[in-house]
Amino acid sequence: MGRVTARRPVLRIRDGEVTRRPDALAAEEPMEIRLDGRPLTVTMRTPGDDFDLAVGFLVSEGVVHARDHVVAARYCAGATDEGTNTYNVVDVQLDPAVPAPHASLERSFYTTSSCGVCGKASLDAVRTSSTWKVADDPLRVSSALLATLPDRLRAAQRVFDRTGGLHAAGLFSATGELLVLKEDVGRHNAVDKVIGHVLRDDLLPLRGTILVVSGRASFELVQKAVMAGVPLLAAVSAPSSLAADLAEETNLTLVGFLRGASMNVYAGSERVTAP
């Protein structure tokens, strides 16, 4: 399987002092997702939790929403001309009763680690109808509890400690317990890994939970949260205008600039209780 980190020699300059030393970098490799043997898409990701990533992507795109929809996920042997396994091609086999995805999902472009939504033909193409609605989720959390979550997320990032170059997505309970944490060079990949993990444990929908992400909150991350039934998405940085629009439309609670005791609630403020 691929490495999570890679070592590179670097010239380090600190306060005028020059040294040469190896440095750890977050690994980034392409992964092709196939559906019942047919190429579906390629994403740039950090190797690890690849089956979760592939299945989570299918949840986000509305292809599956239950564990029994997925029969198997496996690495494809013979992925190269020499017949070797690169561990960069994952084939997901669906239950025959699951409807085939719309042809528009089969992408001829690859998804970059920085922007998963690039290449979508239109806004309508990403407004996927969710199996679950978050509007009636009764979750209520205090701003004091939300303020503790970024530090808990950061403390659990093992690979970030070695590289400083990975995003994280953490799923928390309503009482602040960390349920699942995934890391990746792409925020959207980290979220898909979380969603795929919980689907494979048959835990969807994620009612009464909080999804915390490092970095900013894009439209796509809001969409992924809604597709998994998550009622509250919190980001340590800014949301986009489209993310806030979708959150308001679906009544998902969207929190941005979650840093210390400070935060902005852009939608669904009724779920956050202030001191």
Side-chain angles (χ1 to χ4, degrees):
M1 294 179 62
R3 297 173 298 170
V4 177
T5 63
R7 304 287 287 181
R8 296 281 296 183
V10 299
L11 179 69
R12 183 173 182 176
I13 303 173
R14 295 291 186 276
D15 299 323
E17 182 179 349
V18 179
T19 58
R20 294 182 181 274
R21 51 168 289 179
D23 193 27
L25 301 178
E28 182 177 26
E29 297 180 8
M31 187 183 88
E32 179 180 319
I33 300 174
R34 295 180 182 176
L35 194 58
D36 294 324
R38 297 182 59 188
L40 186 65
T41 190
V42 177
T43 185
M44 300 300 295
R45 98 303 187 195
T46 298
D49 301 309
D50 290 336
F51 297 159
D52 289 341
L53 172 58
V55 172
F57 173 82
L58 295 178
V59 174
S60 296
E61 295 293 342
V63 179
V64 301
H65 61 264
R67 181 173 61 180
D68 58 8
H69 289 173
V70 178
V71 175
R74 61 178 65 89
Y75 289 108
C76 294
T80 68
D81 293 338
E82 293 77 25
T84 59
N85 196 332
T86 63
Y87 296 100
N88 283 333
V89 181
V90 172
D91 186 32
V92 180
Q93 180 184 353
L94 299 185
D95 185 279
V98 176
H102 192 273
S104 64
L105 185 58
E106 298 185 12
R107 305 174 185 180
S108 59
F109 58 89
Y110 71 88
T111 302
T112 70
S113 59
S114 60
C115 180
V117 78
C118 295
K120 294 279 193 177
S122 67
L123 179 59
D124 289 340
V126 291
R127 289 190 181 275
T128 313
S129 297
S130 176
T131 302
W132 305 286
K133 305 301 181 185
V134 300
D136 60 350
D137 195 300
L139 175 71
R140 296 292 186 274
V141 296
S142 68
S143 59
L145 184 143
L146 286 175
T148 68
L149 300 187
D151 285 344
R152 296 183 190 182
L153 184 74
R154 174 65 185 83
Q157 285 188 257
R158 293 178 298 176
V159 182
F160 183 90
D161 287 336
R162 286 181 280 161
T163 66
L166 285 182
H167 286 289
L171 186 69
F172 292 86
S173 71
T175 58
E177 176 189 0
L178 179 60
L179 305 174
V180 182
L181 179 134
K182 301 292 183 180
E183 293 180 275
D184 199 277
V185 288
R187 284 182 302 274
H188 64 286
N189 285 340
V191 171
D192 276 342
K193 288 179 178 181
V194 168
I195 295 173
H197 178 98
V198 296
L199 178 128
R200 296 174 75 203
D201 284 344
D202 202 21
L203 296 176
L204 290 182
L206 293 172
R207 292 180 62 82
T209 59
I210 305 162
L211 182 63
V212 181
V213 296
S214 61
R216 63 186 179 85
S218 65
F219 174 94
E220 190 179 30
L221 295 194
V222 172
Q223 181 205 16
K224 291 177 184 298
V226 171
M227 293 299 292
V230 176
L232 194 156
L233 172 65
V236 300
S237 191
S240 68
S241 62
L242 208 56
D245 289 346
L246 182 60
E248 183 173 10
E249 177 184 314
T250 58
N251 201 29
L252 174 137
T253 299
L254 179 60
V255 178
F257 292 109
L258 180 57
R259 301 169 184 174
S262 300
M263 65 197 74
N264 293 341
V265 184
Y266 293 88
S269 60
E270 68 278 2
R271 290 195 179 95
V272 180
T273 60

